[in-house]
């Protein structure tokens, strides 16, 4: 076994092998190559378990702490907080730290990238989903594989995705992560997975077998292959802005015990920089940390054939010593890498640090989660004053943000809901967050959601309220699918899924977040499928270039061209958007007398679609 350990300030580094009885054999690494300790250990085979230990003058060096190799590709078990993981805890942490596993060589007879669908950005429709949440309660999936990687490739899932018209599945983190102290002490679970420890290791808990990395490896490869065979790309939500080791009070599990001063960014007083809100920030601007990130991305691309990545708090990855830089080493490295440069890259374009909000500032060919689309669409359909310009901007791909530097109209990833926040059902059912189950006195989660309960907070049997909610859901879904950019749907929104008002369900590994397939709104699912079909049928709805001038014509409800003052009129709640031979009508208010403008070919407009039979709170499409 050849191993390199980046630990320039260590005085000793050991590779620790464990046999089937957990008896440990330590092999000291005695050779150095620059800042790396080098070892070539004989007699090590695939499946063998190992960890690292290190000593040094920094207090975070502690030979009693078994450390996970930052470059490990498999872990033997999931990571759960234990007091022995704390840096100051006395005693050996090996009994409570999952061991790394030497991976088997990849199957050279199978190229996992050979059947990538290679969809263009303009044709993409993304579903954001959680491995377990998507599959745990599906009645047609066998009990033994529910909630697992294997379930992703089951025909029940594939048929649902294809039936909707989804051609890209964006998965919440599958990198190995920690159930941290803060969560476990409240009896909860790190459901979302945003506390990574092994950047190149699959999370073992999502296997249908014995929860080992080897089973995860096999199941995930098979699932990606099955999705590809059905024309569905796989995008992974990856976390490289921080690690699960937290701040100085966090556990010593991996990088902290090897090279604490250089893996993590520091403030002027040497405290941890906390641009992520989780206690630490990875120093991706360091060539060695950048190497770790690139090796991880290439591993998922080459071993599993994934098609792209969504980067959590991606502004952190572009931080230099002077702030965010769209020409940082990270972006340049991605653009030059022969494995990564042609894959799909999506930024969550913010972090919580100073100058962290960078929507529209990422380099081509990156795409970006567009929260202004989310907020503007919600505000418009809620009826907020002067929100119609925000709706108009959203429909044209937020050009004021993205139409520069030769970026395409698909630069914006449009979404109304995502894992972080309300479901679409809850956007129209709750005016306030209801996160009591998280154990934080309902103080966590977004305070302003631009949501509206339509008259009653939470569930209601009132037929009028039910009608208004359903009408608004359909109108917002139509807005999402008829806008320029790339639409992203939250898994479960097509089923009418609710989280009962919880807008921060990061720690709810239960019925709150698992999709309720038995109660699915089949009529709503059919409606979403119709919208996606219409989007693909009419190229005007997913154009490559931003629209300018007469390419997008705006009309009032009375069939007259809009004037500047119309957009600031509180009574202005309905407009018509003409895109070549297509006409879209958006009425966010009540009854109107609708007069269609002249058809460019001199014929009558043909109604192709209506989100509701009546005009109030509806979207219509004419050709």
């Amino acid at each position: 076994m050849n191993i390199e350990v980046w630990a320039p300030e260590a005085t000793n580094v050991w590779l620790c092998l464990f046999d089937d009885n957990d008896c440990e054999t330590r092999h000291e690494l005695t050779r150095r190559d620059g800042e790396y300790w080098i070892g070539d250990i004989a007699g090590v085979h695939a499946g063998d378990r190992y960890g690292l230990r290190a000593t040094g003058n920094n207090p975070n060096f502690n030979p009693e702490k078994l450390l996970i190799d930052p470059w490990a590709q498999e872990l033997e078990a999931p990571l759960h907080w234990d007091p022995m993981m704390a840096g100051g805890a006395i005693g050996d942490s090996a009994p409570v730290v999952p061991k790394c596993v030497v991976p088997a060589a990849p199957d050279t007879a199978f190229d996992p990238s050979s059947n990538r669908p290679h969809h263009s950005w303009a044709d993409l429709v993304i579903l954001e989903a959680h491995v377990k949440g998507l599959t745990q309660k599906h009645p047609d999936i066998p009990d033994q594989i529910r909630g697992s990687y294997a379930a992703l490739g089951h025909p029940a899932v594939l048929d649902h995705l294809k039936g909707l018209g989804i051609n890209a599945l964006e998965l919440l983190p599958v990198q190995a992560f920690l159930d941290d102290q803060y969560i476990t002490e409240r009896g909860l679970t790190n459901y979302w997975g945003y506390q990574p420890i092994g950047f190149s290791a699959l999370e073992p808990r999502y296997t249908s077998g014995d929860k080992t990395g080897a089973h995860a490896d096999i199941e995930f490869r098979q699932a990606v292959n099955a999705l590809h065979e059905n024309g569905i790309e796989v995008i992974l939500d990856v976390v490289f802005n921080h690690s699960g080791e937290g701040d100085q009070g966090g556990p010593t599990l991996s990088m902290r015990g090897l090279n604490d001063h250089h893996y993590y960014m520091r403030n002027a007083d040497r405290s941890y920089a906390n641009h992520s809100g989780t206690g630490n920030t990875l120093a991706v601007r360091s060539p060695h940390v950048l190497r770790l990130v690139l090796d991880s991305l290439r591993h998922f691309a080459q071993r599993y054939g994934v098609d792209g990545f969504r980067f959590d708090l991606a502004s952190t990855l572009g931080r230099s010593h002077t702030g965010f830089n769209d020409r940082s080493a990270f972006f340049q490295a991605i653009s030059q890498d022969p494995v990564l440069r042609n894959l799909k890259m999506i930024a969550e374009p913010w972090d919580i640090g100073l100058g962290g909000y960078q929507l529209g500032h990422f380099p081509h060919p990156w795409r970006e989660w567009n929260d202004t689309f989310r907020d503007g669409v919600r505000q418009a359909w809620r009826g907020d004053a002067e929100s119609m310009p925000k709706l108009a901007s959203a429909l044209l791909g937020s050009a004021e943000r993205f139409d520069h530097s030769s970026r395409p109209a698909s630069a914006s990833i449009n979404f109304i809901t995502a894992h972080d926040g309300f479901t679409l059902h809850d956007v129209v059912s709750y005016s306030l967050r209801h996160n009591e189950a998280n154990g934080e006195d309902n103080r966590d989660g977004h305070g302003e959601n631009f949501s509206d309960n339509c008259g009653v907070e939470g569930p209601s049997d009132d037929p009028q309220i039910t009608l208004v909610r359903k009408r608004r859901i359909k109108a917002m879904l139509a807005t999402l699918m008829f806008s320029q950019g790339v639409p992203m749907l939250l898994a479960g929104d097509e089923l009418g899924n609710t989280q009962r008002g919880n807008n921060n369900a990061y720690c709810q590994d239960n019925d709150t977040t698992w999709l309720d397939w038995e109660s699915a709104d089949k009529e709503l699912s059919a409606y979403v499928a119709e919208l996606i079909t219409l989007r693909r049928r009419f190229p005007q709805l997913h154009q490559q270039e931003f629209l300018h001038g007469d390419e997008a014509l705006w009309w009032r409800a009375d069939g007259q061209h809009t004037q500047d003052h119309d957009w600031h009129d509180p009574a202005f709640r309905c407009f018509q958007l003409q895109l070549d031979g297509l006409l879209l009508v958006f009425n966010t208010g009540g009854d109107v007398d609708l007069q269609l403008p002249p058809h460019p070919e001199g014929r009558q407009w043909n109604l192709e679609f209506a989100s509701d039979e009546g005009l109030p709170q509806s979207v219509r499409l004419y050709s």
Side-chain angles (χ1 to χ4, degrees):
M1 176 182 181
N2 297 312
I3 190 167
E4 298 180 357
V5 179
W6 184 40
E9 297 179 358
T11 54
N12 302 90
V13 177
W14 293 271
L15 173 75
C16 308
L17 293 172
F18 292 82
D19 64 17
D20 293 342
N21 296 316
D22 276 341
C23 293
E24 177 181 354
T25 302
R26 300 186 185 185
H27 299 267
E28 185 171 3
L29 307 186
T30 57
R31 290 192 296 120
R32 297 193 64 166
D33 184 1
E35 296 186 351
Y36 288 82
W37 294 79
I38 309 297
D40 185 3
I41 313 301
V44 180
H45 304 94
D48 286 351
R49 301 179 302 138
Y50 73 98
L52 302 172
R53 297 184 190 270
T55 61
N57 296 322
N58 185 292
N60 286 311
F61 285 111
N62 184 345
E64 289 194 320
K65 300 303 166 189
L66 185 72
L67 305 173
I68 293 170
D69 179 6
W71 269 265
Q73 294 184 4
E74 289 183 16
L75 294 184
E76 66 172 347
L79 274 154
H80 305 289
W81 160 259
D82 186 279
M84 287 302 299
M85 295 175 176
I90 298 174
D92 191 349
S93 68
V96 299
V97 175
K99 313 308 182 290
C100 310
V101 180
V102 178
D107 182 4
T108 57
F110 170 65
D111 179 4
S113 64
S114 62
N115 63 348
R116 283 184 175 136
H118 293 293
H119 297 301
S120 70
W121 279 107
D123 292 333
L124 213 63
V125 179
I126 301 172
L127 185 78
E128 190 200 25
H130 187 283
V131 172
K132 186 173 184 179
L134 180 66
T135 64
Q136 181 66 26
K137 296 183 67 177
H138 200 299
D140 296 331
I141 296 176
D143 290 347
Q144 62 269 28
I145 68 168
R146 289 184 185 179
S148 72
Y149 298 121
L152 294 176
H154 190 274
V157 172
L158 299 173
D159 290 347
H160 178 72
L161 298 180
K162 290 191 297 180
L164 288 176
I166 297 297
N167 58 9
L169 185 63
E170 182 177 308
L171 295 173
L172 266 68
V174 297
Q175 295 166 303
F177 59 84
L178 170 71
D179 286 328
D180 55 80
Q181 179 181 5
Y182 181 65
I183 286 179
T184 56
E185 288 182 346
R186 287 178 288 141
L188 299 170
T189 302
N190 180 8
Y191 178 68
W192 284 351
Y194 290 100
Q195 288 284 34
I197 293 295
F199 294 107
S200 293
L202 283 168
E203 173 52 52
R205 72 187 71 191
Y206 299 139
T207 65
S208 62
D210 57 5
K211 308 304 179 187
T212 65
H215 277 85
D217 179 76
I218 295 170
E219 289 189 9
F220 191 64
R221 281 167 60 91
Q222 292 174 342
V224 173
N225 183 66
L227 288 159
H228 282 174
E229 287 295 304
N230 285 270
I232 301 166
E233 297 187 356
V234 178
I235 298 169
L236 298 186
D237 189 338
V238 288
V239 185
F240 296 111
N241 57 80
H242 74 282
S243 86
E245 290 186 302
D247 59 19
Q248 190 59 47
T252 298
L253 282 168
S254 181
M255 296 177 287
R256 171 168 291 138
L258 295 170
N259 193 1
D260 182 55
H261 283 168
H262 297 94
Y263 269 114
Y264 297 112
M265 293 175 62
R266 299 287 181 158
N267 297 314
D269 63 359
R270 302 304 297 160
S271 62
Y272 288 98
N274 187 19
H275 302 308
S276 64
T278 60
N280 65 52
T281 303
L282 279 182
V284 178
R285 63 195 182 200
S286 160
H288 304 281
V289 181
L290 179 59
R291 174 189 170 190
L292 173 66
V293 172
L294 295 175
D295 285 351
S296 170
L297 295 173
R298 281 191 293 264
H299 170 68
F300 282 107
Q302 293 177 307
R303 190 171 183 99
Y304 304 108
V306 301
D307 305 271
F309 302 93
R310 178 267 190 191
F311 292 81
D312 181 59
L313 301 183
S315 293
T316 297
L317 306 178
R319 283 190 175 273
S320 67
H321 292 282
T322 57
F324 179 82
N325 182 358
D326 66 356
R327 298 179 182 272
S328 71
F330 170 75
F331 295 124
Q332 292 191 43
I334 294 287
S335 68
Q336 297 173 28
D337 190 285
V339 174
L340 303 175
R341 64 190 178 198
N342 293 320
L343 299 185
K344 291 180 168 68
M345 300 290 167
I346 301 173
E348 183 183 38
W350 52 78
D351 63 27
I352 71 165
L354 182 65
Y357 190 76
Q358 293 294 331
L359 179 67
H361 296 158
F362 281 71
H364 180 73
W366 282 68
R367 270 60 177 178
E368 303 175 38
W369 269 30
N370 185 356
D371 63 328
T372 65
F373 181 98
R374 174 197 65 198
D375 294 347
V377 170
R378 289 188 184 188
Q379 288 173 294
W381 288 107
R382 190 172 69 168
D384 291 10
E386 296 196 24
S387 58
M388 297 305 276
K390 297 178 181 179
L391 178 59
S393 169
L395 292 168
L396 295 188
S398 302
E400 74 282 0
R401 293 275 186 178
F402 298 105
D403 189 7
H404 61 82
S405 308
S406 301
R407 299 188 75 179
S410 59
S412 172
I413 302 295
N414 300 330
F415 66 102
I416 302 171
T417 55
H419 70 274
D420 187 2
F422 280 143
T423 67
L424 190 55
H425 173 279
D426 292 357
V427 168
V428 301
S429 303
Y430 295 89
S431 295
L432 304 171
R433 65 191 177 201
H434 295 270
N435 300 350
E436 291 82 4
N438 295 352
E440 300 182 48
D441 298 323
N442 204 33
R443 291 177 284 103
D444 59 306
H446 297 295
E448 177 51 82
N449 300 278
F450 305 113
S451 61
D452 177 21
N453 63 25
C454 299
V456 173
E457 187 75 355
S460 174
D461 294 328
D462 186 317
Q464 183 60 32
I465 290 176
T466 301
L467 174 65
V468 171
R469 288 176 175 177
K470 190 66 168 287
R471 182 179 289 162
R472 191 172 297 176
I473 284 173
K474 286 188 170 184
M476 286 193 287
L477 286 169
T479 303
L480 175 66
M481 294 302 169
F482 293 168
S483 294
Q484 305 299 315
V486 179
M488 185 185 79
L489 184 72
L490 173 64
D493 279 353
E494 80 281 13
L495 310 176
N497 185 59
T498 178
Q499 292 179 171
R500 295 182 287 279
N502 192 323
N503 76 347
N504 189 35
Y506 73 102
C507 55
Q508 299 298 322
D509 186 3
N510 49 49
D511 285 346
T512 301
T513 52
W514 302 341
L515 302 192
D516 184 1
W517 292 91
E518 294 282 9
S519 302
D521 186 336
K522 295 181 180 179
E523 187 270 335
L524 184 60
S525 296
Y527 174 82
V528 172
E530 180 187 9
L531 291 175
I532 295 175
T533 298
L534 287 167
R535 178 180 176 85
R536 295 213 169 100
R537 176 183 164 193
F538 293 106
Q540 299 98 316
L541 300 177
H542 54 98
Q543 303 191 52
Q544 296 281 1
E545 305 296 330
F546 285 99
L547 303 174
H548 300 280
D550 291 345
E551 294 173 313
L553 299 176
W554 302 94
W555 307 86
R556 297 192 309 238
D558 62 5
Q560 301 300 309
H561 282 293
T562 58
Q563 305 298 319
D564 287 344
H565 65 81
D566 290 323
W567 298 100
H568 303 287
D569 181 354
F572 183 62
R573 297 288 302 279
C574 179
F575 62 70
Q576 306 180 68
L577 170 59
Q578 185 178 333
L579 305 174
D580 194 11
L582 209 63
L583 183 69
L584 296 164
V585 180
F586 295 86
N587 179 25
T588 67
D591 285 314
V592 295
D593 293 325
L594 184 65
Q595 179 64 49
L596 303 183
H599 194 285
E601 298 176 4
R603 58 178 176 82
Q604 294 293 315
W605 290 102
N606 178 54
L607 179 63
E608 298 278 359
F609 165 84
S611 66
D612 190 79
E613 293 180 0
L615 273 173
Q617 293 267 302
S618 69
V619 177
R620 291 191 174 191
L621 185 152
Y622 296 85
S623 66

